[in-house]
Amino acid sequence: MYVKTTKRENKSGTVRYLHLAHNEWDPVKGRAVPKVLFTFGREDDLDRDAVKRLVASLSRLLEPGDALASTAAGDLEFVSSVPFGGAYVLDHLWRRLRIDKIVGRVGQPKRGRRRDMTVTERVLFALVANRALAPSSKLAAADWITHDVHIDGLAATDDDACYRAMDWLHEVTDDLEKQVFDEVANLLNLEVDL
């Protein structure tokens, strides 16, 4: 299929019309002839929003990579696509509850060299997101994080990183739970007096 243009002469000059067409073999003529499937009307009066809706509607019939390849320039190549919405919402909730900051504070030793908690925090978040969005074992969660979802700040991980993060979490559970409770109680203005 292609867009076929026809010209007509009138009193005010040349008018171009756009049609959606494809070629069909005509055995009588012994050649392919264009068959008009749809007429868009005058080129200067084209409803571009309607064309965008049509393209979007037709794109839904294709796989995401095929739809992108059919509308993209020739020098672009579709590599992959992973869901982002659920992890995005959970990540904002995680940050709104300040769990990322709490993990960073709890993870620091009282004395000695400071530990970089960025990766541990991201792996813990990814494990929580996995439990909420696609519950599985830590081994399967590592594969899910690496191949099936986009976790901001964590391109990939392995099962060892998941186990290390869980070991660390086991060490600091009491302090972490207390700080998360205090933060959530304060954030939600809950009264926690007994």
Side-chain angles (χ1 to χ4, degrees):
M1 283 193 223
Y2 61 95
V3 175
K4 177 179 173 21
T5 305
T6 58
K7 296 179 187 178
R8 297 250 165 90
E9 297 292 332
N10 63 20
K11 293 179 184 177
S12 61
T14 303
V15 179
R16 292 166 43 110
Y17 292 88
L18 300 175
H19 314 278
L20 181 63
H22 79 98
N23 291 333
E24 285 187 350
W25 183 257
D26 186 343
V28 175
K29 292 182 179 178
R31 62 180 171 91
V33 293
K35 178 180 179 185
V36 174
L37 301 173
F38 182 79
T39 300
F40 292 102
R42 291 172 57 141
E43 184 178 43
D44 59 343
D45 197 26
L46 181 64
D47 184 356
R48 296 197 182 280
D49 290 331
V51 173
K52 287 178 186 176
R53 288 191 301 273
L54 176 63
V55 170
S57 180
L58 291 173
S59 294
R60 278 184 245 145
L61 300 174
L62 303 173
E63 291 294 321
D66 295 335
L68 180 63
S70 66
T71 58
D75 59 345
L76 296 179
E77 179 185 338
F78 179 77
V79 177
S80 68
S81 170
V82 292
F84 180 57
Y88 179 80
V89 170
L90 290 174
D91 199 12
H92 278 274
L93 181 60
W94 179 269
R95 292 172 195 273
R96 178 76 172 108
L97 296 175
R98 297 189 182 106
I99 297 173
D100 58 329
K101 303 288 187 224
I102 295 168
V103 168
R105 282 196 311 262
V106 170
Q108 295 304 329
K110 306 249 187 293
R111 292 183 295 211
R113 204 170 105 206
R114 295 185 61 78
R115 185 182 332 193
D116 180 14
M117 290 301 299
T118 307
V119 174
T120 301
E121 182 271 329
R122 290 286 76 198
V123 170
L124 286 174
F125 166 74
L127 289 170
V128 170
N130 172 256
R131 184 65 59 190
L133 300 172
S136 58
S137 67
K138 284 176 253 342
L139 180 61
D143 185 63
W144 179 79
I145 293 163
T146 302
H147 298 105
D148 298 339
V149 72
H150 173 78
I151 302 292
D152 197 30
L154 184 66
T157 193
D158 59 12
D159 54 322
D160 289 336
C162 293
Y163 285 116
R164 281 193 304 272
M166 293 299 292
D167 288 344
W168 171 86
L169 185 61
H170 183 70
E171 293 172 14
V172 298
T173 297
D174 293 337
D175 194 21
L176 183 69
E177 287 175 351
K178 180 185 179 312
Q179 288 195 39
V180 168
F181 176 81
D182 291 344
E183 187 63 44
V184 171
N186 183 40
L187 181 70
L188 302 175
N189 295 323
L190 297 177
E191 194 168 315
V192 292
D193 295 339
L194 295 178

